[in-house]
Amino acid sequence: MIRQQLLMPSPEDLADFLNRHTRSRDCLVQVAGLAEVTYQGRAASTADVGTYLVVVKQDGSLQIHHPTGIKPMNWQPKTDSITARVDEDVCMLLASRRSPEELVQVVFLEPQMALALELAQAGGFVLRGSEAEMQQTLAEHPELIEPGLRVLNRELMVESGGIDLYARDAQGRYVVVELKRGRATQHAVSQLARYVRSVEGKLPAKAVVRGILAAPSITTPARLELENRGLEFREVSALPQATAAAGGPVAQPSLFD
Amino acid sequence: MIRQQLLMPSPEDLADFLNRHTRSRDCLVQVAGLAEVTYQGRAASTADVGTYLVVVKQDGSLQIHHPTGIKPMNWQPKTDSITARVDEDVCMLLASRRSPEELVQVVFLEPQMALALELAQAGGFVLRGSEAEMQQTLAEHPELIEPGLRVLNRELMVESGGIDLYARDAQGRYVVVELKRGRATQHAVSQLARYVRSVEGKLPAKAVVRGILAAPSITTPARLELENRGLEFREVSALPQATAAAGGPVAQPSLFD
DNA sequence: CGTGCCAGGTGCCAT
DNA sequence: ATGGCACTTGGCACG
C-alpha cells in the first residue's frame, strides 16, 4: 500500500520519484518539507519559503497545503503536465494546464519526506439531502408544496435559466418553484423573479404566474423582497432530521416520511 | 519533521496515535488505509469501504480524500472535538462540530499507515489579481473606467447589498460600478441592477443613475440583459498578462501599467 | 450571530 | 468551448 517512501531525498532522487510516480497515474504522491510556491494564471500568488505538504493524486490533480485550513494554499484541479526537474541543485515541480493557462511551481528547498501511496480500492459514495434529491421528492409529491399542485416540468430551461419545478396550481394558474437546500437568500429571490418574468413573457398577457420559493428557511431581507415582488415562500426541509432537530412537533410533513 | 509514523497499526495504537497528535495541535496527522466514512449534518453521506486518506490539520480541520479529485470526499472545516476510540476491535475517528451540528465518522478497517508531520515554518502568502485589488486600483485610477469619473465611495452599503464603487461622472450623474475579476454573468447584472434601483430610490425622482459593469469579459446573455436594462459594460482586466495573453495590442491601459 | 458576497472557487450538466 | 448553477460550498467583512 505504501509504494515507496523517501526520507530527506536528494534533489535528483526526488525528481525521479516524482516523475515516476506521477506518470504511472496509479498512486497518490506527496512531498512534505521546506519549499517555495508560485502560481500564475487566472490570478497570481507567491508563498515564501515554508513547510508545506504537496499532494498529487492519480488524476494529476495537485494541492499544496499549509499547516491549517481546509482549503489548499495552491492547487490545480486538472493538469496537462506535471514534471519535476533539478535546477540549480534543487528539485522543482511544475504543474501546468491550458484553458485556462495556469502554472503552479514548487521549489523544494529541503524535502523531508516523499511518499507514494496506492489507494486502490474504490468504494461507492452516496450523498443525501442535495437539492437534486429535494427536487425529485417534490416532483413526486408536489402536495408537500401545496395541495392540488401538478408538476409539468423539472429543470425547464427558459432564456434566463433553468426553472427547478414548473407547475399549475388547483386554480390552473402557472407556478414557478425555485428550490434551495439551505437558507434562501436574495439571490434566490432574484432567480425566482427572473424566471417568473420569463414565463410571463411567453404566456398571453393576462396570464397570472405565481412564484414560490421552497426552502428550509429564508433570510429576512430575502423575505421582504419576496413579498414586495408578490412572490411566496414555502418551508420545506432537505433532510428529515432538519425538522426533528428544530425541536418542536413537525409543522409539516417531512420530505422523508 | 516526521514526528511519528506507524505502519499497519493496531486499533489501539492508532487510536492512541490520533488522540495524542490531534490534541497537541501542533502537527498534521494523516491516516491511509481501508475505511468507511459517514457524515451527517447539513446533508448526509456514506462512503462504502475503500482506501482513503484522512488528514487532520493543526487547527482541527479534517479532510478525507479518495484517489482522485481536488476536493475531499468528506470534510469538516472546523471541529469542536476530534476523538478516536476503539469500538468492536476497530479504531473509529469522530469529528464533530456545532453550528451547524455536523458529524464525520471514520471507521478504520485496515489502517496501513499513520503519519504525524510537523509543518512548523510558516511562510508569507500573497495573492494578486483579486477583486479587492481591482477595486483599489480603480478607486485610485477611476479614469481607467471612464475619463472624468470621480469615486465617492467604495463598498457603499445600501439595502440590497454593497456597491463596489459609487461615483459621479463628468456630467455629474451618479454611477454605480459593479466589479468582477472574471467573466461577468447574469448574476452580476442582477446585482448591478439591484444596486442601481436602490440608489435611484434614495435620490430625487428625476435623478439619473448609471450602472457600469466592469470586468475582463461578459457572457452573451449577460450582455443582452445588461443592454435591455440600459446598463453599461466596461472592459477591465484583473491582471496585466490577461490583456497581454489576449494577443492583440491592448485596447485600453492595463490596471498594472 | 445573521447576511452578503468573493473565490484562482470546483463540479456537473446543458447547448 | 460557453453558460448557468449547486455546493456539507469556504472564507471574510460588516451591521
Side-chain angles (χ1 to χ4, degrees):
Chain A
M1 206 264 191
I2 292 186
R3 181 76 69 86
Q4 192 183 357
Q5 183 170 25
L6 304 176
L7 297 182
M8 307 194 68
S10 70
E12 291 76 16
D13 288 349
L14 181 59
D16 281 353
F17 176 94
L18 285 169
N19 284 325
R20 187 165 57 250
H21 293 297
T22 56
R23 272 166 204 170
S24 69
R25 297 247 154 188
D26 60 354
C27 57
L28 183 152
V29 182
Q30 46 177 294
V31 182
L34 212 59
E36 275 179 340
V37 185
T38 57
Y39 152 75
Q40 186 124 44
R42 287 167 290 179
S45 74
T46 59
D48 299 339
V49 48
T51 44
Y52 304 115
L53 175 65
V54 177
V55 177
V56 182
K57 288 192 181 182
Q58 297 173 14
D59 58 354
S61 64
L62 165 76
Q63 38 196 308
I64 302 168
H65 287 274
H66 45 172
T68 62
I70 195 77
K71 297 182 71 177
M73 175 182 74
N74 286 103
W75 67 93
Q76 198 86 257
K78 282 172 184 167
T79 47
D80 291 314
S81 98
I82 294 199
T83 331
R85 70 157 190 266
V86 178
D87 196 9
E88 298 191 7
D89 205 41
V90 292
C91 174
M92 291 176 45
L93 182 67
L94 296 146
S96 66
R97 72 154 154 175
R98 308 188 166 83
S99 180
E101 181 93 24
E102 302 201 281
L103 175 67
V104 174
Q105 179 179 318
V106 184
V107 178
F108 293 106
L109 301 169
E110 287 180 24
Q112 297 287 329
M113 184 216 62
L115 183 60
L117 289 174
E118 291 174 52
L119 298 182
Q121 188 172 335
F125 182 77
V126 180
L127 179 72
R128 299 206 56 188
S130 65
E131 190 188 287
E133 198 184 24
M134 249 178 108
Q135 188 184 115
Q136 164 135 14
T137 307
L138 291 173
E140 290 165 5
H141 301 286
E143 70 277 6
L144 290 172
I145 300 175
E146 177 175 291
L149 200 71
R150 287 160 300 143
V151 172
L152 306 176
N153 293 84
R154 292 169 56 178
E155 290 296 342
L156 174 65
M157 293 304 296
V158 293
E159 44 177 347
S160 53
I163 295 175
D164 288 339
L165 293 175
Y166 186 52
R168 286 188 98 152
D169 70 7
Q171 281 89 61
R173 293 171 294 192
Y174 289 99
V175 181
V176 173
V177 181
E178 172 65 28
L179 297 180
K180 285 292 167 235
R181 69 169 306 286
R183 180 165 261 240
T185 67
Q186 288 199 92
H187 181 201
V189 179
S190 292
Q191 274 183 63
L192 180 59
R194 253 203 343 255
Y195 302 153
V196 168
R197 278 209 319 162
S198 288
V199 170
E200 282 173 341
K202 289 191 162 192
L203 292 177
K206 293 185 302 182
V208 176
V209 179
R210 293 173 58 199
I212 298 182
L213 182 52
S217 62
I218 182 169
T219 68
T220 307
R223 172 133 235 167
L224 291 174
E225 186 153 346
L226 195 78
E227 287 167 1
N228 279 342
R229 296 189 190 236
L231 304 170
E232 304 162 51
F233 175 71
R234 185 83 180 99
E235 183 186 329
V236 286
S237 60
L239 276 176
Q241 80 282 8
T243 48
V250 280
Q252 61 166 118
S254 159
L255 302 191
F256 293 80
D257 288 347
Chain B
M1 205 263 193
I2 292 186
R3 180 76 68 86
Q4 190 183 359
Q5 184 171 24
L6 304 176
L7 298 182
M8 307 194 67
S10 70
E12 291 76 15
D13 288 349
L14 180 58
D16 280 353
F17 176 93
L18 285 170
N19 284 325
R20 187 166 56 251
H21 292 297
T22 57
R23 273 168 203 168
S24 70
R25 300 247 152 185
D26 60 356
C27 57
L28 183 152
V29 181
Q30 46 177 295
V31 182
L34 211 60
E36 275 178 339
V37 185
T38 57
Y39 152 73
Q40 185 124 44
R42 287 167 292 180
S45 75
T46 59
D48 298 339
V49 47
T51 43
Y52 304 115
L53 175 66
V54 177
V55 177
V56 182
K57 288 192 180 181
Q58 297 172 15
D59 58 355
S61 64
L62 167 75
Q63 38 196 307
I64 301 168
H65 287 274
H66 46 170
T68 61
I70 195 82
K71 294 184 70 175
M73 175 182 72
N74 287 102
W75 67 92
Q76 196 94 228
K78 283 174 185 166
T79 48
D80 291 314
S81 98
I82 294 198
T83 331
R85 69 157 191 268
V86 179
D87 195 7
E88 299 190 8
D89 205 40
V90 292
C91 174
M92 293 175 46
L93 182 67
L94 296 146
S96 65
R97 71 153 154 175
R98 307 189 167 85
S99 182
E101 180 94 23
E102 300 201 284
L103 175 68
V104 173
Q105 179 179 317
V106 185
V107 178
F108 293 106
L109 300 170
E110 286 181 24
Q112 297 286 328
M113 185 216 64
L115 183 61
L117 289 173
E118 289 173 53
L119 298 182
Q121 188 172 336
F125 182 78
V126 180
L127 178 72
R128 298 206 56 185
S130 65
E131 189 189 287
E133 198 183 22
M134 248 179 108
Q135 185 184 117
Q136 165 135 14
T137 307
L138 291 174
E140 289 165 4
H141 302 285
E143 70 277 5
L144 290 172
I145 300 176
E146 176 177 292
L149 200 70
R150 288 161 296 143
V151 172
L152 306 175
N153 293 84
R154 292 170 57 178
E155 291 295 341
L156 175 64
M157 294 305 294
V158 293
E159 42 175 350
S160 53
I163 295 174
D164 288 339
L165 293 175
Y166 186 53
R168 285 188 101 151
D169 70 8
Q171 281 88 59
R173 292 172 295 193
Y174 289 99
V175 181
V176 173
V177 181
E178 174 65 28
L179 299 180
K180 284 293 166 233
R181 70 167 305 288
R183 179 166 263 240
T185 67
Q186 288 198 86
H187 183 200
V189 179
S190 290
Q191 272 184 65
L192 179 58
R194 250 200 348 252
Y195 302 153
V196 169
R197 279 211 317 160
S198 287
V199 170
E200 282 173 342
K202 288 191 163 192
L203 293 177
K206 293 185 299 181
V208 175
V209 179
R210 293 173 59 200
I212 299 181
L213 183 51
S217 62
I218 182 168
T219 69
T220 307
R223 173 133 234 167
L224 291 174
E225 184 154 346
L226 194 78
E227 288 167 0
N228 279 342
R229 296 190 190 237
L231 304 171
E232 304 161 52
F233 176 71
R234 186 84 181 101
E235 184 186 327
V236 287
S237 60
L239 276 176
Q241 80 281 9
T243 47
V250 280
Q252 63 165 115
S254 159
L255 303 191
F256 294 81
D257 286 347

